[in-house]
Every structure is written in C-alpha cells, then in structure tokens.
Amino acid sequence: MEIAILVPCYNEELTIGNVIDDFKRELPNAKIYVYDNNSSDRTSEVAREHGAIVRFEPRQGKGNVVRSMFRDIEADYYVMVDGDDTYPAEFVHEILAPVQKGEANLVIGDRLSNGTYFDENKRQFHGFGNNLVKGLINKLYKSNITDIMTGYRGFDRLFVKSMPVTSPGFEIETEMSIHALDNRFLIKEVPIDYRDRPEGSESKLNTVSDGIKVLKMIFTLFKDYKPMLFFSVWAALFLVLGLAVGAPVIMEYVQTSFINKVPSAILAVGFVLLSMLSLACGLILDTVAGTHRKNYELQLNRISERSERG
Ligand SMILES: Nc1nc2c(ncn2[C@@H]2O[C@H](COP(=O)(O)OP(=O)(O)O)[C@@H](O)[C@H]2O)c(=O)[nH]1
Ligand SMILES: [Mg+2]
C-alpha cells in the first residue's frame, strides 16, 4: 500500500528539511512530494537534498498546487501537510489510521481541540475568522467540524481523484471541507498538536484578504450546492418587502374600492415579481444541482472501480 506525503511549498527553506526528515522517520516507505511554487529561496534544493521528490508548479497559490498534486500523484493513501514545520509528524499514524481502515475518506487534523493552537498562534483576528467560517459551514451542513482550515489532512484515493479543485489559493481547505460534507464523504477529525513557525519563518496567509476569499468561496458553494435554500432566502426577503409595501394598498382598496397609493402598488408588484423570479431560479437550479449530483455519484463508482482494478 503506497503512501504519499504532499507538501505544498512557497519559500520554506528554513523548515522544509525538518519536515521531510520528520516524516521520513515516521514513515520510511512513504514517498514525499514537495511542490515548489516559484520560491525565490532554496526550498527546492533543500527538499531535494533531504530526499523528497521535487516538482514545480508555475501557477501561484496553494490551491493551484493541490490541483496539480491530486491530478499527478498516484498512491493508495495521501497525507497533506504544510512545509512550515507547524504540524508534528508524529501524528501521521493517527491521521492515516481511519483512511487505511476504511473509516474515513477525509481525515482532518484538528489543531483546535488540544488547545495548542490558541497558545501558539499569536495572530489577531485569526481565531475570529476561523470561528465565523466554522459556524457558517456547520450551520449550513448541520455538521460538527472543529477545524475547517487545517493544513494537515489525510485522504483516500477516492477522495483525491474525485475532488474538483477550483480554488487557486488558500480557499482550498474550505473548499475541500464543504465538498466532503456536501457529497457525504466519511469525515473524521483527529486532534493534533500545533506549534508556531520558528523565528524568521513567515506565514504566507493574509488574515483579511484570504479571509474574504474564503467567505466568497462559501457563498459560491452555498449557491451552487444548495440553490433552493439560497434562492428561497432571497424569495422570502422580496416577499416580505412586497407585503410591507403592498398591505396598505390592499387595505385602502378594501375600505374605499379605490387605489390612491399607485406608486406603492407598483413597487409592491415589483417586489412580489422579484420574489417569484428568485423562487423559479431556485427550482430550476435545484434540478440542475440534482442532475449534477447523480452524475458525480456515477463518476465516483467509476473511480473506485478503476482503483480496485489498478
Ligand atoms: N505552493 C504554494 N504553497 C503555498 C503558497 N502560499 C503558501 N503555501 C504553503 O502553504 C502552506 C500553508 O501556508 P502558511 O503560510 O503556513 O499558512 P498558515 O499555516 O495558515 O499560516 C505552507 O506550506 C506554505 O508554504 C503558494 O502560493 N503556493
Ligand atoms: Mg502554516
């Protein structure tokens, strides 16, 4: 059974050697793939010296790298980890166990439950953004995931080969979590320890701009995956506005058999029409999403057949 360790890297010369050595020690037979994303430092040289398989990805962004990794790399089980030496390699066995036993398609290395993340990560608003995203997703999917955006994950082959990666950047983690939830993949969370980057090593993530991209991703996926719910919200909003503006007009008509509030009447009709239009969009897109879901299920069957034969 082949195991692949995937390490997306952008300027991680300080830490990548450690990461490779640690994973080599824990899993001597695994193949370690480092995808270097236009680093201006010696990331790829260091990675090669430490015995990783180094490849280059010219399109900038973690999502772009993950897309290429998932497409190129053949293995039975996969582990993805940051190149910044913040996730301890010792936990790799716990990350892999559920996928190897067939208990999970996706394993999430949860930094938050053990409490080390809050002690170690000194960045303001990071916690706020994490909580916002977590709350949104768990509400929408009635799920209970603790750490949506962790970079330490385990996958089985089916998940890797069927995950449509559309995020170019750091939204990839959120996209993966939502995709897994929406398609009812088996998800398991494993609490892990977290340590901050060593002195001199800089995070590539910008809390505000990358946070906005993550929220946009949630919004888009919500519209695409749950169009009926998404457009029902708009329909309800416009209906309430229509009734608020239109009720006095109807009252007036009932009492006097005349309508003097003509502008209100026109506005109310406009709002109600918008409401109906939203509902119609929801109904149509619901069928589209349903068809897509069926096709996706068939594709999953084909991928798992091929994996079993290969
Ligand atoms: N390939 C690639 N990897 C990136 C890019 N930006 C960040 N990474 C890698 O993604 C991982 C997570 O990034 P990091 O800055 O540690 O984010 P944080 O853990 O949320 O602070 C690290 O291994 C980075 O080297 C990028 O543009 N391309
Ligand atoms: Mg990191």
Side-chain angles (χ1 to χ4, degrees):
M1 286 285 147
E2 213 163 284
I3 297 169
I5 312 282
L6 318 180
V7 195
C9 270
Y10 178 55
N11 289 347
E12 303 288 7
E13 66 175 0
L14 277 181
T15 47
I16 185 65
N18 253 347
V19 174
I20 296 169
D21 294 346
D22 287 356
F23 277 90
K24 274 235 153 98
R25 195 187 59 231
E26 296 297 328
L27 293 170
N29 294 323
K31 283 190 180 156
I32 301 179
Y33 294 87
V34 169
Y35 273 48
D36 177 19
N37 206 187
N38 309 316
S39 295
S40 53
D41 64 5
R42 296 185 61 252
T43 300
S44 54
E45 286 92 327
V46 177
R48 207 169 287 119
E49 281 158 19
H50 286 259
I53 302 164
V54 178
R55 292 184 184 157
F56 292 94
E57 170 56 53
R59 288 158 290 201
Q60 194 67 48
K62 191 173 181 184
N64 285 323
V65 171
V66 173
R67 175 176 177 238
S68 296
M69 286 176 149
F70 279 12
R71 194 172 290 171
D72 300 346
I73 298 173
E74 303 295 335
D76 298 299
Y77 306 108
Y78 299 78
V79 174
M80 193 173 83
V81 68
D82 283 5
D84 58 3
D85 204 17
T86 49
Y87 299 100
E90 302 88 85
F91 285 88
V92 73
H93 309 287
E94 282 160 63
I95 297 264
L96 273 171
V99 279
Q100 287 180 321
K101 282 190 248 161
E103 289 167 3
N105 304 105
L106 166 66
V107 175
I108 293 177
D110 156 26
R111 300 164 292 181
L112 306 179
S113 290
N114 278 356
T116 38
Y117 186 71
F118 297 104
D119 299 338
E120 290 279 323
N121 194 302
K122 311 282 185 318
R123 299 167 70 192
Q124 263 186 329
F125 302 118
H126 232 69
F128 169 77
N130 274 337
N131 279 335
L132 179 68
V133 167
K134 184 174 111 180
L136 270 175
I137 292 177
N138 283 335
K139 263 250 144 54
L140 274 177
Y141 285 97
K142 300 189 180 69
S143 55
N144 195 14
I145 296 184
T146 316
D147 193 356
I148 305 268
M149 311 220 248
T150 176
Y152 204 0
R153 286 160 192 263
F155 318 101
D156 67 356
R157 196 184 153 77
L158 182 66
F159 188 84
V160 165
K161 294 300 176 190
S162 67
M163 166 78 213
V165 179
T166 65
S167 314
F170 281 119
E171 319 88 285
I172 175 66
E173 266 102 25
T174 314
E175 185 178 25
M176 257 186 226
S177 303
I178 296 182
H179 176 78
L181 283 169
D182 194 74
N183 290 293
R184 288 171 290 134
F185 279 107
L186 291 168
I187 304 174
K188 202 155 204 169
E189 276 194 303
V190 173
I192 55 159
D193 289 340
Y194 181 87
R195 52 180 180 241
D196 212 356
R197 283 167 170 270
E199 203 67 35
S201 161
E202 290 269 333
S203 173
K204 318 297 179 304
L205 187 133
N206 181 303
T207 311
V208 176
S209 69
D210 286 304
I212 290 171
K213 285 187 201 147
V214 167
L215 289 178
K216 263 195 184 149
M217 166 62 61
I218 296 176
F219 192 78
T220 308
L221 291 182
F222 176 33
K223 169 176 71 64
D224 291 348
Y225 285 164
K226 293 178 175 289
M228 195 63 227
L229 185 58
F230 181 85
F231 283 98
S232 295
V233 173
W234 292 107
L237 185 76
F238 286 127
L239 191 66
V240 166
L241 284 174
L243 287 178
V245 179
V249 182
I250 294 170
M251 234 99 93
E252 186 192 27
Y253 181 74
V254 169
Q255 282 161 4
T256 65
S257 293
F258 278 104
I259 293 180
N260 285 318
K261 300 184 196 303
V262 176
S264 295
I266 293 172
L267 186 62
V269 169
F271 276 139
V272 174
L273 279 179
L274 275 178
S275 167
M276 294 301 122
L277 206 60
S278 303
L279 202 62
C281 284
L283 281 170
I284 294 166
L285 291 175
D286 193 48
T287 307
V288 173
T291 309
H292 174 79
R293 210 173 285 274
K294 284 173 205 154
N295 283 330
Y296 182 77
E297 286 302 319
L298 296 182
Q299 229 165 313
L300 283 183
N301 292 348
R302 248 172 273 143
I303 293 169
S304 51
E305 255 172 42
R306 217 179 305 140
S307 299
E308 262 156 40
R309 256 190 271 128

